Amino acid sequence: MNTLLLLVLMVFCHGISSYGAVTNVSTRPDVVNIGAVLSYMSIIGKVAKVALETAVEDVNSDPTVLAGTKIRLMMKDSNYSGFLGIVEALQFMEKDTVAIIGPQLSVTAHVISHIANELQVPLLSYSATDATLSPLQFPFFVRTSHSDLFQMAAIAEIVDHYGWKEVIAIYVDDDQGRNGIAALGDKLAERRCKISYKAPLPPEPTRDNITDVLVKVALTESRILVLHTYAGQGPEVLNVAKYLGMMATGYVWIATNWLSTILDTNFPVASDVMDDFGGVITLRMYTPDSEVKRKFVSRWSNLTRAKHTNGSFGLSTYGLYAYDTVWLLAHAIDAFFNQGGIISFSNDSRLTDVQGGGLNLDAMNIFDGGNLLLKCILQVNMTGVTGPINFTSDRNFIYPAFEVINVVGTGFRRIGYWSNYSGLSLVPPEMLYTNPLNRSSASQRLGVVLWPGETTQRPRGWVFPNNGRQLKIGVPKRVSFREMVSEVGSDTFKGYCIDVFTSAVNLLPYAVPYKLFPFGDGRNNPSGTDLVQLITTGVYDAAIGDIAIITNRTRIVDFTQPYIESGLVVVAPVRKSNSSAWAFLRPFTPKMWGITAIFFLIVGAVVWILEHRINDEFRGPPKKQVVTILWFSFSTLFFSHRENTVSTLGRLVLIIWLFVVLIINSSYTASLTSILTVQQLSSPIKGIETLLNSNDPIGYQQGSYARNYLVEELGVRESRLFPYNSPEDFTKALNDGPHRGGVAAIVDERAYVDLFLSTRCEFSIVGQQFTKAGWGFAFPRDSPLAIDMSTAILKLSENGDLQRIHDKWLTRSACTKQGTKFEVDRLQLKSFWGLFAICGAACLLALIVYLFLMMRQFSRHYPEELKPPGSSSGSKRLRTFLSFADEKVEDVKSRSKRRQMEKNSNRSSVATEDESTNSYKRRHLDLSSSNKSLDSCNEA
């Protein structure tokens, strides 16, 4: 508020008079006063002046807009002075001004917005784009163009689109410059990018000021430069940059929309000036093509000649937004009157209270209808020359968008668009508003860019700084496995990791100055985690060596592509498994042997059941039948069974069983061959699972991440873990074993273990590698050198150099070529349960079908045995059924046939007797009838 009081004092000194309270009783007056503050001769101001005057004329000539009310526009020239802009805005307050258009600069807008809040006069600015002009702090400030927040979001997406991670910001050190760069930093951070260096310029810099700033910029690493300044200073900055060689190949310049404003307003620009702009990318506020825009653009040349004495000039987007600002205000004033608003002003009591001291503040009046007019402004929904005009809830225009422009030669060309809805695209934003939202990286596209240096190849975006500083690279000072890395002199190292690093650096397309520094006390192997943490504190610029890429390290640094795989494995003592008289039993586990034998018996019994009633080879005395079952079942193991199967069900079961036997035979033969021909190694420890299920002590290499992994990930007690520094310590601990103060096994990285085992044949890796990891070189987060080094490592792998370096340092032949292998697991039942399940199901199904068919035969041949229980006992029926099941099918059929013939014979005898009886009865009846007739005649 001290600034506000100072301004009021200055106004008083300029002789502002007291007008008192003024009230216009007419609800729709003949004239409405609006003010405008701009710099007439500035590149934005001269365009805006013509646009504002034209807009007022167009509004006043259209009776449908304000129903006869005219707008009186009072413009004042601030002449590049923020102070004059403030004073002139205050002067409007004494003339019943209902709204002010402007100011042109965000710096001035911050101060005038305080006055607008106090006097409730809406302040509409088409060029004050500072994102911190918040509606919460300045409710009467209305921006009628796009905020810098969206412009910086567009720049951030361009940076991210080309894969750059760091930029340098060059800006004017005022409110608009600082706040714009702060917004850029926020938008870059959303994409894991950042501003690596900020280079502020004085508000009115000299050439020496600019040179000093750019010299510092040239000494930095990044080559992505964002220039956020004004149209007056921007060309001078690019001219000095060209003089310093900073417009050459490798640099990227992204200018905010001040450059597109120059190109639009002063086109054609002088060729020597355009040379300074070559390859620069800039933004322009996007206004969609329309009929009303084309008409206004066609009028522009005539308007500038008529209204400007210094000749014609081009139309920038600021002119379009200035023109629409007047129309927006006109529609709002019309709505204000339609809602019963009146133009009236009243004294500010707080200003009256501070009249003491000679300050004459009675002229500062409050606009009584200010709140209603502000509401009407924010509710305007129209289409102007800039496209649809409608405010969002946070007072930004809907559909903010920019054109992306590349300066080429003596002109420029559009390479794409950016919109807050769809990001970067090659088609106008309005064509995408109706499509579903798609912000995927594949949908973000821009056209071909001609970069500084007249190249179309995307610049890398960074170089090593030209300040003579070497990279400080930390190297672990190992005391064991020195084939990996070892110090051989003062700051001199050799080893596998060092050779990989130097070979990759030699493939880079630029020189990398660096110096190696040892890390460690020389008595114990240093921790890789401690080494990479020193990168985050700035002690080292990078770290190379046997550094495993694990999760907690990737959270703080960036790693290159792994140059060797090295997960954790278990090493334990092993012994040779000598052959024995019972070696033939080793291919199968006891359970496998038992189940196989049981199935031999089951299949033999099932086949016997299915064949017993129809096949003479499966019949005979009980002793013979038992021998037949055993012989048949076990002879199938060699496919030498003599008995033929004649039933369909028996053949089906036998086919399936023979297939199972074939698989079992083949597996047994292969496993036994391996056991008898290849020397086997055995160990009571089968892998990490064995260690987790026991309480035996475990060894690990000092400095390795194995300790943290075992404790934090696998839950191993720390008391079980013992650190060792050298391969000799490993050997002693493993030979002593857990019962003599040693360990049961060592857990270490595969690369070290391979070296350890190359000369120690009494130990071996047991089980599988239980983590996946690799070694890489560590760099600070988002370091572009990590990406380039990864590319170099891939080239080493493709051309075979990486393998040659590996063979040079890590290949040993003492034990690696022996024809030995660790004892394989015996064949388990779980590997064959599917086959046994299929065979068992086939046997069960065959028995069910066989039982069903036999019951049908039994019911046909012994129907009297199936009568209700009262007729015969259950035990008799069971004995009859078992006797039936044991009989041969032919015997059952012949007996049934004889029984049927006997039944038929008995039926014939009964029929004859019945016929004789019936004949006798008939003769007796006839005789009786004759006797009765004779008796009757005698009586007569």
Side-chain angles (χ1 to χ4, degrees):
M1 295 303 293
N2 292 334
T3 304
L4 180 59
L5 292 176
L6 176 62
L7 294 173
V8 174
L9 177 62
M10 296 303 299
V11 171
F12 174 77
C13 294
H14 277 72
I16 297 181
S17 60
S18 175
Y19 274 68
V22 178
T23 302
N24 189 340
V25 298
S26 173
T27 58
R28 193 176 280 272
D30 294 334
V31 176
V32 176
N33 294 329
I34 62 174
V37 179
L38 62 158
S39 297
Y40 290 174
M41 299 309 296
S42 68
I43 196 167
I44 294 176
K46 65 182 181 180
V47 175
K49 182 176 182 297
V50 176
L52 292 173
E53 292 173 346
T54 303
V56 171
E57 293 174 0
D58 292 345
V59 168
N60 290 337
S61 63
D62 189 345
T64 63
V65 179
L66 287 170
T69 299
K70 303 296 183 182
I71 290 179
R72 179 186 296 151
L73 177 65
M74 299 174 291
M75 289 194 294
K76 291 187 177 294
D77 183 9
S78 63
N79 196 24
Y80 298 102
S81 172
F83 171 74
L84 289 180
I86 296 169
V87 171
E88 289 163 353
L90 289 171
Q91 289 177 340
F92 286 129
M93 304 305 177
E94 68 180 12
K95 299 178 182 179
D96 298 346
T97 303
V98 300
I100 298 176
I101 298 176
Q104 191 170 305
L105 298 177
S106 297
V107 177
T108 310
H110 276 277
V111 179
I112 298 179
S113 294
H114 287 287
I115 304 171
N117 289 350
E118 180 68 24
L119 303 180
Q120 298 183 11
V121 176
L123 189 66
L124 292 83
S125 179
Y126 52 86
S127 58
T129 56
D130 183 359
T132 63
L133 288 166
S134 166
L136 296 177
Q137 183 181 7
F138 306 116
F140 280 86
F141 175 81
V142 180
R143 184 185 293 106
T144 57
S145 63
H146 296 313
S147 166
D148 276 344
L149 186 67
F150 301 111
Q151 182 172 208
M152 297 308 172
I155 293 175
E157 289 211 32
I158 292 172
V159 171
D160 184 56
H161 174 70
Y162 288 110
W164 301 314
K165 293 300 180 183
E166 296 183 2
V167 304
I168 294 176
I170 305 172
Y171 59 98
V172 173
D173 194 15
D174 60 9
D175 286 345
Q176 180 162 342
R178 287 190 298 271
N179 296 333
I181 295 305
L184 174 62
D186 293 341
K187 293 300 180 181
L188 287 171
E190 293 175 4
R191 294 160 178 82
R192 288 194 63 186
C193 305
K194 67 178 181 179
I195 299 175
S196 60
Y197 182 74
K198 294 181 180 180
L201 294 168
E204 296 181 0
T206 63
R207 189 174 180 86
D208 289 340
N209 296 144
I210 296 172
T211 302
D212 292 341
V213 169
L214 292 185
V215 167
K216 295 178 181 178
V217 169
L219 296 177
T220 59
E221 180 180 279
S222 177
R223 286 295 180 261
I224 312 301
L225 311 178
V226 177
L227 183 56
H228 182 48
T229 180
Y230 298 107
Q233 299 93 336
E236 185 70 11
V237 173
L238 293 179
N239 180 261
V240 174
K242 186 175 181 63
Y243 173 77
L244 295 175
M246 298 176 66
M247 298 296 291
T249 302
Y251 281 89
V252 174
W253 286 85
I254 303 176
T256 50
N257 61 349
W258 62 266
L259 180 53
S260 63
T261 302
I262 293 176
L263 298 176
D264 290 336
T265 306
N266 296 338
F267 191 82
V269 182
S271 59
D272 58 335
V273 177
M274 289 297 291
D275 287 342
D276 298 338
F277 300 162
V280 177
I281 292 178
T282 185
L283 299 177
R284 175 202 284 155
M285 288 185 287
Y286 175 68
T287 56
D289 191 23
S290 63
E291 184 62 27
V292 64
K293 177 183 174 181
R294 286 193 293 269
K295 288 182 179 179
F296 182 71
V297 172
S298 65
R299 296 168 55 195
W300 185 253
S301 296
N302 295 330
L303 292 174
T304 53
R305 282 193 293 267
K307 299 178 181 296
H308 198 273
T309 58
N310 294 331
S312 62
F313 44 82
L315 173 61
S316 67
T317 52
Y318 285 111
L320 297 175
Y321 280 102
Y323 181 84
D324 274 351
T325 300
V326 175
W327 278 93
L328 184 154
L329 187 56
H331 283 285
I333 293 173
D334 183 60
F336 171 81
F337 290 136
N338 290 337
Q339 296 179 33
I342 59 173
I343 306 297
S344 63
F345 296 84
S346 58
N347 290 330
D348 189 343
S349 59
R350 290 188 292 183
L351 291 179
T352 304
D353 294 340
V354 295
Q355 285 184 353
L359 291 177
N360 188 8
L361 301 176
D362 290 343
M364 309 295 289
N365 299 316
I366 296 175
F367 176 29
D368 297 326
N371 282 305
L372 178 58
L373 180 58
L374 176 63
K375 178 182 176 182
C376 293
I377 290 172
L378 297 177
Q379 291 178 345
V380 168
N381 188 355
M382 57 171 279
T383 300
V385 294
T386 59
I389 295 178
N390 190 8
F391 290 97
T392 62
S393 58
D394 54 359
R395 292 195 185 182
N396 289 310
F397 277 162
I398 61 172
Y399 304 139
F402 287 85
E403 296 177 71
V404 184
I405 294 172
N406 181 210
V407 181
V408 179
T410 58
F412 57 90
R413 59 191 179 91
R414 182 175 56 230
I415 60 172
Y417 303 88
W418 176 90
S419 71
N420 194 45
Y421 178 78
S422 57
L424 301 173
S425 67
L426 295 175
V427 298
E430 64 269 18
M431 297 179 63
L432 301 174
Y433 292 144
T434 57
N435 296 339
L437 181 63
N438 183 9
R439 296 299 294 267
S440 64
S441 58
S443 66
Q444 306 298 296
R445 300 179 60 192
L446 287 175
V448 178
V449 180
L450 188 66
W451 305 101
E454 297 185 352
T455 177
T456 57
Q457 184 177 1
R458 180 187 70 86
R460 186 173 61 249
W462 71 282
V463 295
F464 278 97
N466 298 321
N467 53 13
R469 188 179 73 88
Q470 293 179 320
L471 288 180
K472 296 172 61 178
I473 300 178
V475 183
K477 191 174 182 179
R478 294 196 57 84
V479 297
S480 64
F481 296 108
R482 294 168 62 86
E483 295 90 344
M484 302 298 180
V485 57
S486 62
E487 187 178 19
V488 294
S490 178
D491 303 333
T492 304
F493 295 83
K494 69 175 183 178
Y496 170 70
C497 302
I498 302 300
D499 280 5
V500 173
F501 175 76
T502 55
S503 298
V505 168
N506 291 336
L507 290 178
L508 298 178
Y510 48 84
V512 180
Y514 64 88
K515 186 176 182 181
L516 303 180
F517 293 86
F519 172 73
D521 57 11
R523 295 185 299 273
N524 295 296
N525 291 322
S527 167
T529 301
D530 294 341
L531 176 57
V532 299
Q533 283 178 343
L534 293 178
I535 298 176
T536 64
T537 60
V539 175
Y540 298 126
D541 298 311
I544 65 173
D546 51 337
I547 305 172
I549 304 173
I550 56 177
T551 303
N552 63 334
R553 296 174 186 174
T554 58
R555 293 191 180 106
I556 58 177
V557 297
D558 281 349
F559 281 93
T560 62
Q561 171 82 13
Y563 56 87
I564 188 174
E565 293 186 2
S566 184
L568 294 178
V569 294
V570 177
V571 179
V574 294
R575 58 182 176 80
K576 296 180 180 180
S577 297
N578 296 322
S579 182
S580 67
W582 302 100
F584 67 90
L585 295 176
R586 285 168 55 190
F588 288 164
T589 61
K591 185 181 292 187
M592 180 65 183
W593 279 116
I595 295 299
T596 303
I598 291 172
F599 260 84
F600 271 107
L601 297 177
I602 290 174
V603 171
V606 170
V607 172
W608 177 83
I609 292 172
L610 298 176
E611 296 288 325
H612 178 67
R613 300 184 70 240
I614 60 176
N615 193 340
D616 290 335
E617 294 183 357
F618 288 87
R619 299 186 63 81
K623 181 178 179 181
K624 178 185 177 184
Q625 294 184 49
V626 171
V627 172
T628 300
I629 291 173
L630 295 176
W631 167 255
F632 177 83
S633 59
F634 286 103
S635 63
T636 56
L637 177 62
F638 311 102
F639 303 95
S640 60
H641 48 284
R642 297 177 303 175
E643 294 79 8
N644 293 320
T645 52
V646 297
S647 67
T648 302
L649 293 176
R651 290 174 176 176
L652 175 63
V653 171
L654 185 60
I655 288 174
I656 295 175
W657 173 242
L658 290 177
F659 175 74
V660 174
V661 170
L662 175 64
I663 300 300
I664 293 176
N665 266 336
S666 302
S667 303
Y668 175 86
T669 303
S671 180
L672 183 61
T673 301
S674 176
I675 290 173
L676 297 179
T677 58
V678 179
Q679 181 178 302
Q680 302 289 311
L681 301 177
S682 64
S683 171
I685 298 173
K686 304 302 180 183
I688 189 63
E689 295 82 6
T690 306
L691 294 178
L692 296 179
N693 294 329
S694 70
N695 293 317
D696 292 336
I698 304 171
Y700 66 93
Q701 184 182 177
Q702 179 75 44
S704 171
Y705 75 94
R707 178 186 179 278
N708 290 338
Y709 185 87
L710 291 172
V711 173
E712 298 173 5
E713 300 295 332
L714 301 183
V716 178
R717 297 192 312 275
E718 292 189 37
S719 59
R720 295 178 56 193
L721 302 178
F722 295 88
Y724 298 101
N725 260 324
S726 67
E728 291 73 20
D729 295 339
F730 285 1
T731 302
K732 185 178 185 305
L734 289 172
N735 285 330
D736 290 344
H739 303 297
R740 293 187 295 171
V743 295
I746 296 289
V747 174
D748 203 358
E749 298 178 59
R750 182 64 184 257
Y752 302 122
V753 169
D754 287 343
L755 273 177
F756 174 72
L757 297 180
S758 63
T759 57
R760 293 166 177 86
C761 305
E762 67 272 24
F763 309 114
S764 179
I765 296 174
V766 293
Q768 300 296 319
Q769 179 175 307
F770 58 94
T771 67
K772 293 291 185 181
W775 291 354
F777 305 132
F779 293 90
R781 294 299 298 271
D782 301 322
S783 171
L785 186 57
I787 300 174
D788 289 353
M789 285 292 288
S790 294
T791 303
I793 291 173
L794 290 175
K795 290 181 180 178
L796 289 175
S797 177
E798 292 170 357
N799 60 25
D801 287 344
L802 194 61
Q803 184 62 44
R804 283 189 284 272
I805 297 172
H806 180 277
D807 295 341
K808 172 185 175 182
W809 290 99
L810 305 182
T811 298
R812 299 291 184 271
S813 58
C815 293
T816 54
K817 294 184 180 180
Q818 291 184 10
T820 63
K821 70 173 185 176
F822 192 73
E823 181 182 28
V824 295
D825 289 337
R826 304 169 79 179
L827 296 177
Q828 307 271 344
L829 176 62
K830 63 183 179 181
S831 302
F832 300 92
W833 73 266
L835 288 172
F836 287 127
I838 294 173
C839 184
C843 291
L844 181 61
L845 180 62
L847 288 176
I848 293 174
V849 174
Y850 177 75
L851 181 60
F852 173 75
L853 296 176
M854 193 165 58
M855 289 295 295
R856 284 185 59 192
Q857 293 178 5
F858 183 71
S859 64
R860 188 167 61 249
H861 296 293
Y862 295 91
E864 66 279 3
E865 296 295 334
L866 298 176
K867 292 179 180 180
S871 60
S872 61
S873 64
S875 59
K876 181 181 179 181
R877 289 198 306 273
L878 179 60
R879 286 195 301 272
T880 303
F881 178 76
L882 293 178
S883 177
F884 171 78
D886 186 60
E887 286 186 290
K888 197 172 182 181
V889 173
E890 288 80 358
D891 295 342
V892 173
K893 290 182 179 180
S894 61
R895 187 173 59 254
S896 297
K897 185 180 296 185
R898 288 195 304 272
R899 187 178 299 171
Q900 186 66 31
M901 292 176 62
E902 291 175 357
K903 286 182 179 180
N904 292 337
S905 175
N906 292 336
R907 195 176 294 114
S908 300
S909 301
V910 170
T912 304
E913 292 177 358
D914 290 343
E915 185 178 353
S916 301
T917 303
N918 290 335
S919 176
Y920 172 78
K921 288 181 178 180
R922 283 196 301 272
R923 288 195 304 269
H924 179 72
L925 288 175
D926 292 342
L927 181 60
S928 298
S929 298
S930 301
N931 292 333
K932 286 182 180 180
S933 299
L934 291 174
D935 290 342
S936 298
C937 291
N938 293 329
E939 289 177 359

